[in-house]
């Protein structure tokens, strides 16, 4: 409008990286406008050489925009980074029409959130190596059990499930007659899962008209107004906040954000993995060596196809898998060999390996996460420090199915003095309430 040039914006379908990106874009334009763009009626203005080459291969004339431009004036990306850093001089470098659009549609905060986001990866999720279909199916299978566990503590009103996955727990809440007048709100960071939630709502899966979904990273700022939420639910989320953020600093920021949006008398219910009590004490871990191959460690797994990674890890013995885990694990992980099948390490490190060793389908994703960074005593200290009161229903538990089927058949724990150790707790459920007078 300011330049006298007419423009039309056409949404481009969000597709995986492909050499046919130019063809997909052209088809999107045709579907949206009815116009067929050809080399005879179209000039492509593009600043990305790889994308420009795709259009050139189809015969289009390409105006390279910034190609050959010297460092002064700055390129659009440099201006965008100024904006993201809060440097208001970006307004002097951008065209006035651009500034007008950014102001009218409040795009500056969106850009800053995307560029500075400490958690979200290029794929719009926590990690590009995660198979979200596997996770969605696992969460759906466990939704009824999770809901039965937390239902006695849910306070009606505004109920928010942060990290809601594909919305399976909210489906359970939706079936509750006593919650028919409540707002059910799902917050999900992963694009794949968020889109599945929206799809379910569009297909009429939810009977409650007050069901809403937001694609947000709660670490990027407040999602809901202060003191406005009656119940917050989080399942298998806090260990990811710890792992993909700045460990305790990010977890504290998250807990503070939950406290801030919780109404007086409201509740936060969290269910997640948990570090064992006394996670820093030294133990001896004995592992089977005859249940797989003793292959040497591979340091190139990130360069392999996911099926190749799975095949390699799945073929290893439990003892050899420990060595591979140590090579791929994001967090400091040290152990001292005691004998061919036994190592000395901390109890927390032992449980981090043992509770992750069977995730061969998502190995490179799982090795980016730490399950045992926080134990129950740490949780109690953090929650009370922020201002929550811990309900007596809060407790740690041990998943005996994991012990009987995943741990005991291939591993055992002893003290350095060779005294047998029982398997420690693996999970935590806490019910944290904001006092009425705050």
């Amino acid at each position: 409008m300011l330049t006298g040039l007419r423009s039309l914006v056409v949404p481009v379908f969000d597709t995986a990286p492909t050499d046919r990106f130019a063809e997909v874009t052209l088809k999107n334009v045709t579907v949206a406008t009815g116009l067929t763009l050809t080399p005879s009626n179209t000039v492509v203005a593009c600043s990305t050489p790889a994308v420009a080459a795709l259009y050139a291969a189809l015969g289009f004339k390409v105006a390279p925009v910034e190609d050959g431009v010297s460092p002064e004036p700055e390129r659009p990306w440099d201006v965008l980074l100024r904006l993201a850093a809060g440097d208001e001089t970006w307004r002097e470098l951008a065209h006035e029409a651009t500034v007008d659009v950014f102001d009218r549609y409040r795009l500056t905060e969106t850009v800053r959130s995307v560029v500075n986001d400490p958690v979200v990866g290029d794929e719009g999720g926590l990690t590009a190596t995660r198979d979200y279909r596997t996770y969605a199916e696992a969460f759906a299978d466990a939704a009824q059990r999770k809901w039965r566990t937390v239902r006695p503590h849910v306070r009606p009103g505004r109920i928010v499930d942060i990290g809601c996955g594909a919305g399976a727990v909210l489906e359970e809440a939706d079936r509750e007659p006593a919650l028919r007048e409540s707002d059910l709100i799902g917050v999900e960071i992963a694009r794949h899962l968020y889109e599945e939630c929206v799809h379910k709502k569009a297909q009429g899966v939810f009977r409650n008209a007050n069901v809403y979904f937001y694609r947000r990273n709660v670490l990027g700022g407040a999602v809901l107004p202060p003191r406005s939420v009656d119940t917050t639910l989080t399942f298998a989320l806090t260990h990811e906040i710890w792992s993909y953020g700045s460990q305790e600093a990010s977890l504290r920021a998250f807990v503070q954000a939950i406290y801030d949006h919780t109404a007086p008398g409201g509740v936060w219910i969290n269910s997640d993995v948990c570090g064992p009590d006394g996670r820093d004490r030294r133990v001896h871990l004995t592992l089977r060596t005859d249940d797989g191959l003793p292959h040497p460690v591979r340091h190139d797994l990130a360069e392999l196809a996911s099926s190749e990674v799975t095949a390699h890890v799945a073929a290893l013995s439990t003892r050899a898998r420990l060595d591979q885990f140590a090579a791929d694990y994001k967090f400091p992980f040290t152990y001292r060999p005691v004998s061919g099948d036994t190592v000395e390490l901390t109890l927390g490190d032992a449980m981090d390996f043992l509770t992750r060793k069977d995730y061969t389908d998502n190995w490179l994703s799982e090795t980016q996460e730490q399950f045992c960074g926080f134990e129950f005593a740490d949780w109690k200290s953090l929650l009370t420090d922020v201002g929550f009161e811990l309900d007596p229903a809060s407790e740690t538990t041990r998943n005996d199915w994991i012990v009987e089927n995943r741990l005991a058949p291939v591993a055992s724990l002893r003290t350095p003095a060779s005294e047998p150790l029982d398997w420690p707790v693996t999970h935590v459920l806490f019910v944290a309430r904001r006092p009425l007078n705050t």
Side-chain angles (χ1 to χ4, degrees):
M1 180 175 65
L2 295 175
T3 62
L5 296 173
R6 297 186 64 190
S7 63
L8 180 65
V9 178
V10 176
V12 177
F13 181 73
D14 189 7
T15 185
T18 173
D19 290 338
R20 300 184 62 193
F21 176 77
E23 298 172 51
V24 171
T25 303
L26 294 171
K27 291 175 182 177
N28 269 277
V29 172
T30 299
V31 170
T33 67
L35 301 174
T36 300
L37 304 185
T38 67
S40 63
N41 66 14
T42 303
V43 173
V44 177
C46 182
S47 61
T48 306
V51 175
L54 298 177
Y55 285 101
L58 297 177
F60 286 88
K61 182 179 179 180
V62 178
V65 188
E66 299 122 21
D67 189 33
V69 175
S70 65
E72 296 292 342
E74 293 176 276
R75 291 173 176 248
W77 182 252
D78 298 317
V79 179
L80 188 72
L81 291 179
R82 285 196 183 199
L83 184 159
D87 183 349
E88 289 299 312
T89 59
W90 75 270
R91 295 175 178 273
E92 302 168 11
L93 297 169
H95 192 282
E96 59 182 321
T98 299
V99 175
D100 176 64
V101 169
F102 271 59
D103 286 344
R104 278 191 291 127
Y105 292 99
R106 295 183 294 182
L107 297 178
T108 54
E109 289 306 315
T110 299
V111 170
R112 285 170 183 158
S113 176
V114 170
V115 174
N116 300 319
D117 195 317
V119 176
V120 183
D122 293 338
E123 290 298 307
L126 293 172
T127 169
T129 60
R130 174 168 292 178
D131 180 353
Y132 283 101
R133 179 179 299 177
T134 301
Y135 279 78
E137 291 172 352
F139 274 77
D141 291 343
Q144 289 185 356
R145 172 180 54 79
K146 292 176 180 178
W147 181 246
R148 286 195 302 268
T149 299
V150 304
R151 178 63 186 94
H153 312 292
V154 170
R155 171 172 149 165
R158 180 172 282 181
I159 301 170
V160 180
D161 184 359
I162 298 180
C164 66
V169 171
L170 288 180
E171 289 182 55
E172 298 296 323
D174 179 64
R175 299 186 181 103
E176 290 276 349
L179 301 179
R180 191 58 51 85
E181 300 301 319
S182 294
D183 290 345
L184 305 180
I185 301 171
V187 179
E188 177 53 53
I189 193 173
R191 172 173 54 84
H192 311 69
L193 300 177
Y194 166 76
E195 290 175 352
E196 179 62 21
C197 291
V198 174
H199 176 70
K200 283 183 176 181
K201 182 178 178 181
Q203 294 300 310
V205 170
F206 298 95
R207 292 173 293 182
N208 186 336
N210 299 310
V211 176
Y212 310 94
F213 292 101
Y214 297 93
R215 186 175 175 219
R216 297 285 190 276
N217 171 17
V218 73
L219 290 184
V223 175
L224 294 161
R227 301 159 64 94
S228 68
V229 176
D230 295 284
T231 299
T232 300
L233 304 173
T234 51
F235 299 94
L237 175 68
T238 51
H239 77 274
E240 295 189 335
I241 299 292
W242 170 281
S243 300
Y244 293 102
S246 302
Q247 287 73 66
E248 186 169 356
S250 293
L251 199 56
R252 176 174 289 273
F254 177 73
V255 173
Q256 185 67 58
I258 299 297
Y259 181 84
D260 290 344
H261 81 208
T262 300
V267 62
W268 173 27
I269 309 168
N270 179 54
S271 175
D272 203 353
V273 291
C274 183
D277 296 334
R279 68 184 186 282
D280 293 328
R281 59 177 166 153
R282 308 294 294 182
V283 298
H284 283 188
L285 173 65
T286 300
L287 303 171
R288 284 186 61 174
T289 60
D290 61 351
D291 57 346
L293 300 173
H295 281 326
V297 172
R298 291 194 63 162
H299 295 279
D300 62 345
L301 294 190
E303 302 171 11
L304 304 180
S306 59
S307 59
E308 295 177 299
V309 175
T310 298
H312 169 73
V313 177
L316 299 175
S317 70
T318 305
R319 175 63 184 84
R321 203 172 293 186
L322 173 70
D323 294 333
Q324 187 65 57
F325 181 82
D328 300 324
Y329 195 40
K330 172 184 174 181
F331 300 89
F333 188 88
T334 59
Y335 54 95
R336 180 180 67 84
V338 176
S339 64
D341 60 357
T342 301
V343 297
E344 181 177 308
L345 71 178
T346 67
L347 180 59
D349 284 345
M351 295 305 295
D352 258 313
F353 165 66
L354 291 171
T355 53
R356 218 72 47 74
K357 66 181 178 60
D358 296 297
Y359 287 99
T360 57
D361 288 344
N362 285 289
W363 181 261
L364 292 180
S365 173
E366 292 295 339
T367 53
Q368 300 304 298
E369 299 181 6
Q370 187 175 35
F371 281 13
C372 300
F374 243 42
E375 59 184 87
F376 193 44
D378 299 321
W379 273 117
K380 289 190 287 187
S381 176
L382 175 57
L383 291 168
T384 55
D385 189 42
V386 169
F388 280 111
E389 293 179 346
L390 209 57
D391 188 281
S394 304
E395 63 177 352
T396 54
T397 58
R398 186 181 72 181
N399 187 321
D400 287 332
W401 186 92
I402 291 178
V403 169
E404 294 169 7
N405 294 275
R406 301 296 190 190
L407 308 188
V410 298
S412 63
L413 285 174
R414 291 180 175 272
T415 68
S418 295
E419 299 169 348
L421 286 175
D422 197 9
W423 294 106
V425 300
T426 56
H427 290 75
V428 65
L429 170 71
F430 64 72
V431 180
R433 302 185 186 279
R434 177 167 180 162
L436 281 169
N437 60 350
T438 60

